[in-house]
Amino acid sequence: MTVTPKTVLVVDDDDPIRRMLTRLLGISEHKFVVHEACDGASALAELSSSDFDLILLDQMMPDMSGLDVLQELRKGQRNRETTVIMLTAHTDHKQVMASLEAGANFYISKPFEPQ
């Protein structure tokens, strides 16, 4: 029985973080198929053309925040039900709650340990 690998979209404007997450997901025992986006517009382009099992989405990005991307994602049909984990450096509880209220399933605070 062949298992189809899960697809993940990693969205982060910080190149080292995005590359680290992509590498970790690609070498994990699950060997996810990972797509990358460096900003909100690129993320929306990826989301309009591909289906994902998981989205790791940076909350603070220039031009279009992760919260803006999340709101657009939840309005559309494609990937509407996809699990979204926000990556945030915010320590303010209100900012974290805003992402959850907008439709994020969970959040991870930066900095984080890769393990």
Side-chain angles (χ1 to χ4, degrees), residues 43-56:
L44 290 177
E46 284 282 337
L47 291 165
S48 71
S49 62
S50 300
D51 292 321
F52 294 95
D53 297 297
L54 173 67
I55 301 165
L56 297 175

Side-chain angles (χ1 to χ4, degrees), residues 39-41 44 58-69 72:
D39 57 34
L44 290 177
D58 183 19
Q59 189 166 355
M60 294 189 308
M61 295 185 291
D63 299 324
M64 181 178 228
S65 73
L67 194 57
D68 294 333
V69 172
E72 287 298 312

Side-chain angles (χ1 to χ4, degrees), residues 9-51:
L9 177 61
V10 176
V11 184
D12 201 308
D13 62 313
D14 187 319
D15 289 340
I17 290 176
R18 192 178 64 253
R19 285 190 207 120
M20 177 202 48
L21 289 169
T22 297
R23 189 177 133 287
L24 289 171
L25 291 165
I27 64 171
S28 76
E29 65 185 79
H30 303 290
K31 297 208 184 323
F32 297 101
V33 174
V34 183
H35 296 241
E36 295 183 33
C38 62
D39 57 34
S42 299
L44 290 177
E46 284 282 337
L47 291 165
S48 71
S49 62
S50 300
D51 292 321

Side-chain angles (χ1 to χ4, degrees), residues 70-88:
L70 179 61
Q71 289 169 338
E72 287 298 312
L73 169 71
R74 294 304 189 216
K75 281 195 259 184
Q77 294 302 310
R78 181 173 229 140
N79 291 298
R80 179 183 221 155
E81 300 298 320
T82 302
T83 299
V84 176
I85 299 175
M86 298 297 286
L87 304 173
T88 180

